Amino acid sequence: MDLQAIAFYLLAAITVASGLLVITARNPVHSVLFLILAFFTAAGLFVMLGAEFLAMLLVVVYVGAVAVLFLFVVMMLDVDFSQLREGFSRYLPIGMVVGGVLAIEMILVATTVANRGAASLNAAPANPDAALPNAEAIGRVLYTDYVYFFQAAGLVLLVAMIGAIVLTLRHRPGVRRQNIGNQVARTPESGMEIVQIKSGEGLSE
Amino acid sequence: MTMNFQDALVLARPEVFLAGATLFLLVYGAFRGEKGMSEVSIGASLALFTAAAFAAIGPDGAAFSGGFIANSATRFAKVAVYLISPVAILLGDRWLGRVDNKRFEFPILILLAAIGMGMMVSAGDLISLYIGIELQSLALYVLAAFRRDDAKASEAGLKYFVLGALSSGLLLYGASLIYGFAGSTHFDVIAQSIQHGTTGTGVLFGLVFLMCGLAFKVSAAPFHMWTPDVYEGAPTPIVAFFAAAPKLAAMVLFARVLSEAFGSAIDQWRQIIVITAFLSVAIGAFGGLAQSNIKRLLGYSSIANIGYALIGLSAGTAEGMQAVLVFMVLYMIDVTGFFACLGALSRDGKSMESLSDFAGLARLRPGLALVLTALSFSVMGLPPFSGFWAKLFVFKAAIASGQWILAAVVLLGSVVAAFYYLRLIKTMWFDPAPGQTDTPPVEAKGVAFAAALFCFPLVLPAMAWLEPMARTAAVSFGLK
């Protein structure tokens, strides 16, 4: 067994195991940490495929931003997870049935893939020029062939932003905000009061 | 695709224009604040009318490497969507003003949803299909929860969001399987590889998931469970929006995917559509019987009506597609009128939602009672109202393709559903009124009267040009 195969099986096994632990861990913080581990090992698998750019994207975006945000949300929200888990055993049988059917179907599909070779029959290579670096190859199609999808995805993000503002922004009265104009206009006269105090008496409000 | 960028932009002119107008109005609204809501609403409505005009005169073709398609079907659907959306802006703008919740994001979100619908009907690729659906759905989730201080509206928004996310997951899973087996996300390449028989059953497996996701979006049974809850909880003018245009857009997208990408797998998808249509009609008709809340009732009614439209789709012929288009446009106008009536009626400042609230309406508000009666007759499918013509087209298409059982289902479903409309009419005309109602707002009343006028008698001259237009549009789906 060569080194690459060993690395693949190691990374794949860790990915699957941590994926399982994400949904079985009792502590939600542990779940998120296993999610991060799953992302990391998946990034490793991408590197092995020669897709360095995607690997870095996975680490930067999913680990760096999304998973850490999850962690904050899980730690800050006061959600009673033990209560959420109460329904687990009740729904376990039907869940097992649905999951079992899905698993059998997936296996059937996977064997079809193995037998027929699926897309390898007619798919174009993802990276036509091997000399081209990953990021450049993606950039060349992203802003030409896929410019429509790229811009439309931008609109989807705009909706998400507007939605977050519409649903959460509240203008509370009486909130003290920093006003730089006022701060700059402040003079020693307006900011200071000089009081003469008789010795031994102190200052009362 | 050898089309250059300028031509591509000309092809996508309605959506590009709408996107530009949205960004401009967003910045304008952000600077003007709540005071600017009416101006933003007017601007958004004008932008939608302009986009409808652009869509009506736009050229045919495919752009952006096949991701965007313009033909007579997209023209038909876009004009319908862009003309019905300003009605929702009108209803919602005034209503939000009355409940003291004026925020300029409302027309902006409607605009973004309209762009999403434009993308959906023009989709020629699984990626643009998905992005279009997400753009439209995300805007609708936010709109459903727009009154964030109202517990029911928030619940409706959350329910809609969670179930919508689930359906998007199903849809994406199906799309990835189709991509894996057919080797492309383009509809025409998928169609080719299915024809050559290189894809096997795997691609059908993906198709089933894709259809589940789409059935969710059009609220067809057995993926309908969110509809009554969301209709009940979300604000009435906003329900008026998402019961109408998004259903048409999703239906056209459904028809396009099935006919263009999976045209040669018609025998396979037809079975699924037949079962979905049957279940939708049955659940819509029988589920509505037990409802006392009129918005829930309309939710079930919309499930049944989507079932009728799916019967047209299951015919798998150009005639069937024509039936779908005519049916959806006529239904869209009916349902907008219905919800405009609900928005117009209130008692002591509380909107009238339960069936008993409507008792004696004929004496209190004879005009609106007459409108509701006409719309009920129309949705029931009584001649000469518009609903009759809609169902007639579906019926003809089903018979022509030899689906007698489904044609019988249309009739039976209509008979069962007639019960709850007749009950509403009886309550309005023959029961004693519990008390006075508030003065109905002008704009909701206006929309309600306009819809009733359309469903009879304006529908008769309108059919003269709606019918040939829908026929030209139906031909472009490429089915015989």
Side-chain angles (χ1 to χ4, degrees), chain A residues 28-72:
Chain A
V29 177
H30 292 174
S31 287
V32 179
L33 291 175
F34 281 119
L35 189 67
I36 294 176
L37 182 62
F39 283 145
F40 254 116
T41 44
L45 288 171
F46 271 130
V47 171
M48 289 187 58
L49 280 172
E52 302 89 4
F53 182 68
L54 276 184
M56 291 309 122
L57 223 54
L58 202 65
V59 172
V60 172
V61 176
Y62 282 89
V63 178
V66 177
V68 172
L69 262 182
F70 269 157
L71 202 58
F72 276 127

Side-chain angles (χ1 to χ4, degrees), chain A residues 102 105-106 109-110 112-113 116 118-124 144-150 152-153 155-156 158-171, chain B residues 5 19 23 26 64-65 67-68 103 105 108-109 112 115 119 125 127-128 131 135 138-139 142 145-146 148-149 173 177 179-183 193 197-198 200 205 209:
Chain A
L102 269 181
E105 285 174 340
M106 299 252 264
V109 174
T112 327
V113 177
R116 304 183 69 102
S120 62
L121 290 173
N122 41 20
T144 54
D145 292 351
Y146 294 97
V147 65
Y148 172 58
F149 309 134
F150 183 74
L155 279 182
V156 176
L158 181 67
V159 174
M161 199 178 92
I162 296 174
I165 293 171
V166 165
L167 297 180
T168 57
L169 182 69
R170 279 163 209 276
H171 292 289
Chain B
F5 194 61
L23 295 179
L26 184 61
F64 302 114
S65 42
F68 187 95
R103 273 177 297 160
E105 288 93 345
I108 300 281
L109 284 168
L112 285 163
I115 299 174
M119 287 185 65
D125 186 298
I127 303 176
S128 44
I131 296 178
L135 185 56
L138 276 173
V142 180
F146 201 78
R148 57 190 181 190
D149 299 322
Y173 183 51
L177 284 174
Y179 175 55
F181 284 100
S193 48
T198 51
F205 196 76
F209 277 96

Side-chain angles (χ1 to χ4, degrees), chain A residues 79-152:
Chain A
V79 182
D80 191 353
F81 284 92
S82 57
Q83 206 181 1
L84 285 181
R85 233 182 277 275
E86 265 173 18
F88 187 73
S89 55
R90 194 145 55 95
Y91 296 116
L92 192 63
I94 180 112
M96 293 273 272
V97 171
V98 174
V101 170
L102 269 181
I104 293 169
E105 285 174 340
M106 299 252 264
I107 291 166
L108 284 178
V109 174
T111 45
T112 327
V113 177
N115 292 341
R116 304 183 69 102
S120 62
L121 290 173
N122 41 20
N127 185 356
D129 186 356
L132 219 55
N134 253 267
E136 203 179 328
I138 291 177
R140 280 195 182 180
V141 287
L142 189 58
Y143 304 110
T144 54
D145 292 351
Y146 294 97
V147 65
Y148 172 58
F149 309 134
F150 183 74
Q151 294 292 338

